[in-house]
């Protein structure tokens, strides 16, 4: 059972590769945002969890989420930890794309993964693409309404596409998130967040393998399979 952690800037294709790996290796794809959303929806009125002696109310976290702010790291890390244990008990491996996001999350989650799956089975892949390519890809991207499949409108046959070829739902541009100025901010945030994480992984005795993310989806996938 393997744990694959995919890192990379916005537009590096982490999500796409995570989905391919999920199918090929029968892994569970864990996304921080989805785990938080799901659990918040199920929460009862007044429900809270206690992490390190502090109470975290679901209603407060829901408000943070709705106003576009980040969840409290102990809250979301705790939920992630619960989910990891659940997947491990089902005897399945995991793929992460863009998680852990914070040093706090990395410090809590990596030891848990090492304990459950063993350090040798944790593979960290960095999808490397240039800043220029990140900006280009994100400003040409649309996503489908139903599954958020990303469609790059670079090739001619995709330019006039109105519906997702995979599920038929409408394609749309992500408001705000994919505007060039916002992408520059996201790229800066990514660098500030990811470099310390890479240092942390190294300190934890894990190797980070760099892969050229500017190749085709199929070639990136091949390189990942070789690397793990
Ligand atoms: Zn779709």
């Amino acid at each position: 059972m393997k744990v694959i952690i995919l890192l990379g800037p916005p537009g590096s294709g982490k999500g796409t590769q995570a989905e391919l790996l999920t199918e090929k290796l029968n892994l569970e794809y864990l996304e921080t945002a989805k785990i938080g959303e799901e659990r918040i929806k199920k929460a009862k009125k007044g429900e809270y969890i206690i992490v390190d002696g502090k109470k975290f109310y679901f209603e407060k976290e829901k408000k943070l989420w709705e106003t576009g702010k980040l969840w409290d790291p102990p809250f979301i890390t705790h939920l992630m930890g619960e989910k990891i244990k659940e997947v491990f008990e089902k005897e399945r491996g995991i793929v992460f794309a863009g998680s852990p996001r914070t040093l706090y999350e990395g410090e809590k989650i990596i030891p848990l993964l090492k304990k459950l799956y063993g350090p040798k089975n944790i593979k960290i892949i960095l999808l490397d693409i240039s800043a220029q390519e990140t900006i280009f890809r994100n400003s040409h991207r649309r996503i489908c309404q139903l599954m958020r499949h990303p469609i790059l409108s670079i090739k001619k046959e995709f330019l006039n596409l109105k519906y997702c070829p995979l599920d038929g739902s409408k394609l749309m541009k992500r408001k705000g998130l994919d505007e060039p100025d916002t992408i520059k901010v996201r790229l800066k945030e990514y660098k500030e967040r990811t470099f310390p994480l890479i240092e942390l992984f190294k300190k934890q005795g894990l190797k980070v393998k760099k892969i050229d993310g500017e190749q085709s989806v199929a070639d990136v996938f091949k390189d990942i399979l070789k690397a793990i």
Side-chain angles (χ1 to χ4, degrees), residues 9 46 48 62 122 127 154-155 172 178 187 194 204 215:
Y48 60 83
K62 191 177 172 207
I122 302 174
L127 297 179
I154 300 166
K155 288 185 188 146
M172 54 189 193
D178 287 337
L187 199 56
T194 307
Q204 288 164 326
Q215 309 174 87

Side-chain angles (χ1 to χ4, degrees), residues 127-148:
L127 297 179
D128 194 31
I129 72 171
S130 65
Q132 209 184 350
E133 181 72 9
T134 297
I135 292 164
F136 180 79
R137 285 188 183 184
N138 284 280
S139 53
H140 287 78
R141 171 162 68 179
R142 288 179 300 162
I143 53 165
C144 83
Q145 237 166 7
L146 193 64
M147 300 293 293
R148 295 191 258 170

Side-chain angles (χ1 to χ4, degrees), residues 43-71:
K44 295 180 196 94
K45 210 175 164 11
E47 193 179 338
Y48 60 83
I49 52 172
I50 299 175
V51 186
D52 298 333
K54 222 185 137 203
K55 276 185 189 175
F56 294 90
Y57 286 89
F58 280 90
E59 273 149 39
K60 191 201 148 208
E61 299 295 331
K62 191 177 172 207
K63 269 198 198 116
L64 287 176
W65 174 242
E66 283 168 352
T67 50
K69 293 185 190 107
L70 287 177
W71 286 304

Side-chain angles (χ1 to χ4, degrees), residues 144 146-149 164 166-169:
C144 83
L146 193 64
M147 300 293 293
R148 295 191 258 170
H149 290 126
C164 174
L166 299 170
D167 55 47
S169 70

Side-chain angles (χ1 to χ4, degrees), residues 1-226:
M1 285 197 290
K2 280 191 185 7
V3 174
I4 303 166
I5 298 173
L6 299 175
L7 306 170
S12 59
K14 297 183 295 284
T16 306
Q17 295 296 336
E19 273 169 24
L20 290 171
L21 288 164
T22 303
E23 265 188 40
K24 175 98 180 171
L25 304 172
N26 189 29
L27 306 170
E28 196 135 340
Y29 177 12
L30 295 191
E31 287 175 277
T32 310
K34 269 195 191 156
I35 289 165
E37 260 178 300
E38 255 173 41
R39 192 57 187 81
I40 277 172
K41 267 185 210 153
K42 275 194 254 166
K44 295 180 196 94
K45 210 175 164 11
E47 193 179 338
Y48 60 83
I49 52 172
I50 299 175
V51 186
D52 298 333
K54 222 185 137 203
K55 276 185 189 175
F56 294 90
Y57 286 89
F58 280 90
E59 273 149 39
K60 191 201 148 208
E61 299 295 331
K62 191 177 172 207
K63 269 198 198 116
L64 287 176
W65 174 242
E66 283 168 352
T67 50
K69 293 185 190 107
L70 287 177
W71 286 304
D72 286 316
F75 170 81
I76 190 62
T77 305
H78 181 83
L79 298 188
M80 181 59 101
E82 283 183 342
K83 190 78 192 176
I84 289 169
K85 285 180 206 152
E86 212 182 288
V87 175
F88 179 74
E89 272 159 32
K90 286 192 277 178
E91 297 184 353
R92 288 184 75 184
I94 301 174
V95 58
F96 294 98
S99 302
R101 284 178 187 223
T102 57
L103 273 179
Y104 179 91
E105 216 179 320
E107 276 161 3
K108 299 272 174 185
I109 293 297
I110 298 294
L112 174 67
L113 290 169
K114 276 167 120 179
K115 195 178 109 199
L116 296 175
Y117 290 88
K120 272 187 196 154
N121 293 315
I122 302 174
K123 308 286 177 185
I124 304 173
I125 307 279
L126 175 64
L127 297 179
D128 194 31
I129 72 171
S130 65
Q132 209 184 350
E133 181 72 9
T134 297
I135 292 164
F136 180 79
R137 285 188 183 184
N138 284 280
S139 53
H140 287 78
R141 171 162 68 179
R142 288 179 300 162
I143 53 165
C144 83
Q145 237 166 7
L146 193 64
M147 300 293 293
R148 295 191 258 170
H149 290 126
I151 306 287
L152 281 176
S153 314
I154 300 166
K155 288 185 188 146
K156 240 197 257 153
E157 62 259 42
F158 288 155
L159 273 175
N160 296 321
L161 210 59
K162 285 199 176 81
Y163 300 97
C164 174
L166 299 170
D167 55 47
S169 70
K170 235 185 176 167
L171 292 178
M172 54 189 193
K173 247 196 130 92
R174 299 197 301 176
K175 267 207 195 99
L177 274 178
D178 287 337
E179 318 272 345
D181 283 344
T182 318
I183 296 161
K184 278 180 199 152
V185 174
R186 287 170 65 206
L187 199 56
K188 193 170 157 264
E189 278 174 1
Y190 158 78
K191 280 186 185 153
E192 285 169 0
R193 220 173 38 210
T194 307
F195 292 144
L197 267 173
I198 290 175
E199 286 309 306
L200 175 73
F201 293 145
K202 286 181 188 159
K203 257 188 245 155
Q204 288 164 326
L206 300 169
K207 274 187 197 138
V208 178
K209 191 128 195 186
K210 211 194 254 185
I211 281 177
D212 176 7
E214 293 190 15
Q215 309 174 87
S216 70
V217 170
D219 285 338
V220 172
F221 188 51
K222 257 188 232 159
D223 279 0
I224 292 176
L225 291 177
K226 252 188 253 161

